[in-house]
């Protein structure tokens, strides 16, 4: 079918982006190839080229869309300042360990290891999260040095958790997250 159409209608750029996310989550950046995308969407390469000049342009679109998605996921962190520090940290942890973040965040972090543009986007997001986490520890009564150390440790534990586990945390892990917060918030 011509011009990016399928039996159900024309594919959008977002359809291509979502297919890329799925491939990234399943197979990493090595799996993100035009043939795989077309097979996943059930279309020809002509459909790909209808929407994107080349693979570099497509990858740039995927990275940009992920940055927007990531920023939307984290945009509410600044609005949590009215909450007590423990509740604020718990909400941030919950939002960062969702199903979408679980698979896509891991894939994007792996991609960032080989692509400076993606790396800068990941680092910008990390700075935003670290700032919000540090602020919660400051509000919990820790001095700047302790707040920095606890924010970095909390952040590192979260990233490690993303990379060490094969699946999103089950509901029973909520109790462990609460125990972790008890430890990190202890004076």
């Amino acid at each position: 079918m011509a011009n990016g159409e399928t039996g159900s209608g024309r594919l959008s750029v977002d359809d291509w982006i979502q297919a890329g996310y799925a491939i990234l989550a399943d197979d990493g950046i090595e799996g993100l190839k035009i043939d795989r995308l077309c097979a996943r969407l059930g279309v020809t390469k002509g459909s790909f080229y209808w929407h994107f000049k080349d693979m570099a342009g497509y990858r740039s679109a995927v990275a940009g869309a992920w940055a927007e998605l990531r920023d939307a996921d984290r945009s509410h962190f600044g609005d949590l300042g009215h909450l007590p520090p423990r509740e604020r940290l718990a909400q941030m942890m919950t939002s960062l360990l969702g199903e979408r973040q679980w698979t896509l965040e891991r894939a994007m972090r792996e991609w960032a290891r080989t692509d400076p543009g993606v790396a800068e986007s990941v680092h910008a997001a990390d700075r935003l999260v670290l700032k919000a986490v540090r602020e919660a520890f400051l509000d919990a009564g820790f001095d700047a040095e302790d707040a920095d150390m606890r924010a970095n440790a909390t952040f590192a534990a979260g990233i490690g958790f993303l990379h060490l586990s094969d699946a999103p945390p089950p509901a029973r892990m909520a109790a462990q997250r609460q125990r972790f917060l008890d430890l990190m918030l202890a004076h």
Side-chain angles (χ1 to χ4, degrees), residues 94-162:
T94 299
S95 73
L96 294 173
L97 293 176
E99 178 73 35
R100 178 177 63 203
Q101 291 81 0
W102 191 264
T103 55
L104 194 52
E105 184 87 14
R106 288 172 17 145
M108 294 304 291
R109 285 183 180 283
E110 286 300 316
W111 186 4
R113 293 165 42 110
T114 60
D115 185 307
V118 175
E120 179 49 39
S121 182
V122 167
H123 294 312
D126 291 350
R127 287 188 296 271
L128 177 76
V129 172
L130 272 169
K131 180 181 177 195
V133 172
R134 181 183 185 276
E135 192 120 343
F137 283 115
L138 286 170
D139 292 348
F142 293 99
D143 65 30
E145 187 176 328
D146 277 350
D148 285 341
M149 187 271 306
R150 288 169 192 270
N152 286 324
T154 299
F155 184 78
I159 297 302
F161 195 57
L162 278 173

Side-chain angles (χ1 to χ4, degrees), residues 23 28 30 45 48 62 69 84 89 114 148 163 176 178 182:
I23 290 171
E30 301 81 29
K45 285 184 182 180
F48 175 86
V62 168
L69 179 66
L89 288 166
T114 60
D148 285 341
H163 285 279
Q176 285 186 343
Q178 293 305 315
D182 288 342

Side-chain angles (χ1 to χ4, degrees), residues 4-185:
E5 291 185 0
T6 66
S8 61
R10 185 178 304 274
L11 290 175
S12 68
V13 169
D14 189 58
D15 293 327
W16 285 96
I17 299 293
Q18 295 303 317
Y21 287 165
I23 290 171
L24 276 170
D26 291 344
D27 302 315
I29 191 65
E30 301 81 29
L32 197 58
K33 308 237 185 279
I34 295 173
D35 291 338
R36 301 252 344 256
L37 286 161
C38 292
R40 184 172 198 95
L41 292 168
V43 296
T44 65
K45 285 184 182 180
S47 179
F48 175 86
Y49 289 110
W50 177 260
H51 291 90
F52 305 99
K53 179 180 177 189
D54 54 22
M55 194 58 173
Y58 174 74
R59 286 182 176 191
S60 178
V62 168
W66 176 76
E68 289 174 14
L69 179 66
R70 179 211 57 221
D71 289 350
D73 284 347
R74 290 164 171 85
S75 66
H76 73 286
F77 285 5
D79 299 333
L80 299 176
H82 68 284
L83 296 174
R86 180 189 184 81
E87 190 174 335
R88 199 177 329 157
L89 288 166
Q91 283 194 23
M92 285 188 271
M93 287 173 70
T94 299
S95 73
L96 294 173
L97 293 176
E99 178 73 35
R100 178 177 63 203
Q101 291 81 0
W102 191 264
T103 55
L104 194 52
E105 184 87 14
R106 288 172 17 145
M108 294 304 291
R109 285 183 180 283
E110 286 300 316
W111 186 4
R113 293 165 42 110
T114 60
D115 185 307
V118 175
E120 179 49 39
S121 182
V122 167
H123 294 312
D126 291 350
R127 287 188 296 271
L128 177 76
V129 172
L130 272 169
K131 180 181 177 195
V133 172
R134 181 183 185 276
E135 192 120 343
F137 283 115
L138 286 170
D139 292 348
F142 293 99
D143 65 30
E145 187 176 328
D146 277 350
D148 285 341
M149 187 271 306
R150 288 169 192 270
N152 286 324
T154 299
F155 184 78
I159 297 302
F161 195 57
L162 278 173
H163 285 279
L164 292 176
S165 300
D166 293 333
R172 65 181 165 75
M173 297 295 287
Q176 285 186 343
R177 287 196 306 267
Q178 293 305 315
R179 288 180 59 206
F180 178 78
L181 285 177
D182 288 342
L183 176 67
M184 295 308 293
L185 288 165

